[in-house]
Amino acid sequence: MRDFIGELKGITREYQLLNESSAILAWDQETYIPPAALPERGEQLALLQSLAHKKLTSPRVGELLAACGCSDDAPWGSAGADTRDGAYLRELYRAYTRQIRIPSALVEAIARATSAGQAAWAEARRKNDFAFFKPYLEKVLSLVVEKAQAVGYQDHLYDALLDEYEPWMTTSEISRVFSGLESSLKGLASRISERPQVDDAFLYQSFSLEKQRDFARQIVKELGFDFSGGRIDETAHPFTTTLGARDVRITGRFREEYFGTGLFGLIHETGHALYEQGFDEEITGNILATGTSLGIHESQSRAWENVVGRSRAFWEHYLPLAREYFPSQFNDVGLDTFYRGINRVSPTHIRIDADEVTYGLHIILRFRLELALVTGDLKVDDLTGAWREASRELLGIEPETSAEGELQDIHWSMGAIGYFPTYALGNLYGAQFWAAFENTVHNTDTLIRKGDFSILRNWLRDSIHRHGASKTAGELCREVSGEALKPDFLQDYLESKYRGIYGF
């Protein structure tokens, strides 16, 4: 069997290289591509993604998986469920059985439609013109639904899409978790709204973009991002992408009139990047060298951004440096005022600017709408009105423009329907992992206050990062925290933090 696995690893290495080549083109499209090159970029991506699909679904892969004893009942084959080779076979068998059901022509069509859709979304967002984007979204949606039908599902069409980003999670389970989460978040937001509001006016001033970039870059480096194997660029919608085993790219977006967007966005993306830079050498270059699920991936970015980056201890260390970069803006702002201000709870239209309490409500909004779009209960023509109605219900505010509403996120233009729930799952996983870390290391605030992130980073690397996709999200959660995923940890964290900030 060792020879069979060796041959499979050779095939999937080529599959990985094709995917990384596609990622380079996609990164370039979101950063530096000249507008006239966009139509051909769609053709380039379609070709590469078609080649990757054919490589993964070749008859030889099926023969080798069968020779290794892989089946629906035992996807790890004869290698054993608790071995690295078993994990490799499990992940490959899962990817193979999904992809073999999707026709090559559909893979190419999706690549073309999403390349065009992302370019159209960027233009529509700039112009605040949903009508311009609508036909592109309708095309992408129809192809994504076709893909879900091809992949197949047991209970709900959306399951086939959700499973791409959060393996083995179901629509019914997400709905159950989100029902309880909505109630607790609304209740906490309501209690906060009854308290005197904290001041965050100092964050809304004129901040040099160049100084923001330099300040954020210094923090990102000190958090542990390896610039010898990565870089930072700017784009309309921040993201992190892996272009190779030693090439992890972060992108961000800065606003001159608001301090928070650029810095906290880059801390968020650094959490993703540290995960991607932390895989064991043993799995580097094969299909295990990826996050086990996007929910786990988001647990890293959300924890670094909020639990660490918005902590009082973090700013005890970094506020003096912020004053050096921005003396006229921050010299008269005390630590307590700064800490409370960056944690202000107030509904906002823009998801990536949302506070920790209302952020989950943004995700529930998107989950409901894309679920209705997939089933056909909501037409793209009616999306603007549905978004505004859901925003009123969940956040108590209504966007005045499409750029503040249905055009604010890139995900639907890139066909990533089923992705949004992973953001909220990331908050849940992140809080549970943080509780486990604090039970292991009892002086976390002292370390952060000194700017020492090495112990946290090494704990995350040893407990989570190094495994890549060797362990499932459920296995990892139980192994790290001792329990299955529970919302209690996030609820306790939010209650404790915001009780202190708002004094209720």
Side-chain angles (χ1 to χ4, degrees), residues 226-278:
D226 180 5
F227 278 95
S228 71
R231 56 178 287 145
I232 297 175
D233 294 277
E234 293 182 39
T235 189
H237 192 99
F239 66 93
T240 298
T241 186
T242 298
L243 309 185
R246 294 291 179 268
D247 190 354
V248 180
R249 308 288 176 96
I250 297 174
T251 68
R253 184 181 76 200
F254 294 93
R255 293 165 54 191
E256 185 175 359
E257 74 281 4
Y258 177 59
F259 178 74
T261 297
L263 175 62
F264 291 113
L266 279 181
I267 294 175
H268 177 101
E269 300 304 333
T270 300
H272 285 304
L274 292 176
Y275 194 173
E276 293 289 317
Q277 291 183 333

Side-chain angles (χ1 to χ4, degrees), residues 333-479:
V333 180
L335 174 63
D336 189 58
T337 299
F338 192 95
Y339 167 64
R340 286 158 57 86
I342 61 172
N343 287 291
R344 176 186 171 110
V345 174
S346 181
T348 179
H349 299 299
I350 306 301
R351 173 184 62 85
I352 63 172
D353 290 338
D355 58 78
E356 290 181 271
V357 176
T358 61
Y359 183 89
L361 300 175
H362 281 267
I363 303 308
I364 293 169
L365 180 154
R366 287 153 177 78
F367 167 66
R368 287 182 182 173
L369 293 182
E370 66 179 18
L371 190 63
L373 286 168
V374 165
T375 60
D377 293 332
L378 174 63
K379 304 300 181 187
V380 173
D381 274 337
D382 301 321
L383 182 57
T384 299
W387 188 290
R388 294 181 181 185
E389 181 181 346
S391 183
R392 280 197 307 272
E393 177 192 346
L394 289 165
L395 297 165
I397 55 176
E398 181 179 326
E400 296 181 359
T401 68
S402 290
E404 293 180 332
E406 69 278 9
L407 279 177
Q408 68 176 273
D409 293 303
I410 196 175
H411 301 64
W412 291 341
S413 73
M414 58 191 284
I417 296 173
Y419 188 125
F420 276 120
T422 66
Y423 287 115
L425 291 174
N427 281 341
L428 296 171
Y429 281 123
Q432 195 154 335
F433 292 152
W434 183 257
F437 173 68
E438 287 196 309
N439 285 336
T440 305
V441 179
H442 302 291
N443 60 335
T444 54
D445 276 356
T446 301
L447 294 170
I448 293 172
R449 194 176 292 119
K450 294 191 300 184
D452 181 359
F453 306 104
S454 60
I455 292 177
L456 170 59
R457 188 172 61 248
N458 291 337
W459 183 86
L460 290 171
R461 182 158 292 179
D462 185 62
S463 302
I464 298 168
H465 300 171
R466 67 184 181 89
H467 301 295
S470 301
K471 300 177 184 294
T472 68
E475 289 170 346
L476 199 61
C477 186
R478 285 188 292 272
E479 185 175 295

Side-chain angles (χ1 to χ4, degrees), residues 94 98 144 147-149 151-153 155-178 292-295 363 367 370-371 374 415-426 429 473:
R94 179 178 178 277
R98 273 186 65 92
V144 167
K147 179 178 77 170
Q149 291 167 337
V151 168
Y153 56 95
D155 297 317
H156 198 289
L157 180 63
Y158 189 81
D159 287 348
L161 303 175
L162 178 63
D163 185 68
E164 182 174 348
Y165 307 105
E166 197 66 25
W168 300 288
M169 185 62 74
T170 65
T171 307
S172 60
E173 179 67 7
I174 289 289
S175 298
R176 184 190 65 78
V177 170
F178 281 8
T292 192
S293 79
L294 284 183
I363 303 308
F367 167 66
E370 66 179 18
L371 190 63
V374 165
I417 296 173
Y419 188 125
F420 276 120
T422 66
Y423 287 115
L425 291 174
Y429 281 123

Side-chain angles (χ1 to χ4, degrees), residues 29-100:
Q29 178 171 316
E30 294 304 312
T31 50
Y32 298 118
I33 192 171
L38 284 167
E40 189 177 25
R41 181 54 47 87
E43 294 299 312
Q44 294 164 343
L45 285 166
L47 174 61
L48 282 173
Q49 290 178 24
S50 174
L51 290 172
H53 179 260
K54 288 174 182 175
K55 178 69 67 176
L56 182 66
T57 59
S58 69
R60 185 58 179 159
V61 171
E63 292 167 4
L64 289 167
L65 285 170
C68 291
C70 297
S71 67
D72 290 347
D73 293 329
W76 48 81
S78 306
D82 298 326
T83 66
R84 274 276 168 85
D85 280 346
Y88 169 81
L89 290 174
R90 182 198 69 218
E91 289 302 300
L92 178 55
Y93 183 79
R94 179 178 178 277
Y96 172 79
T97 53
R98 273 186 65 92
Q99 292 299 317
I100 201 169

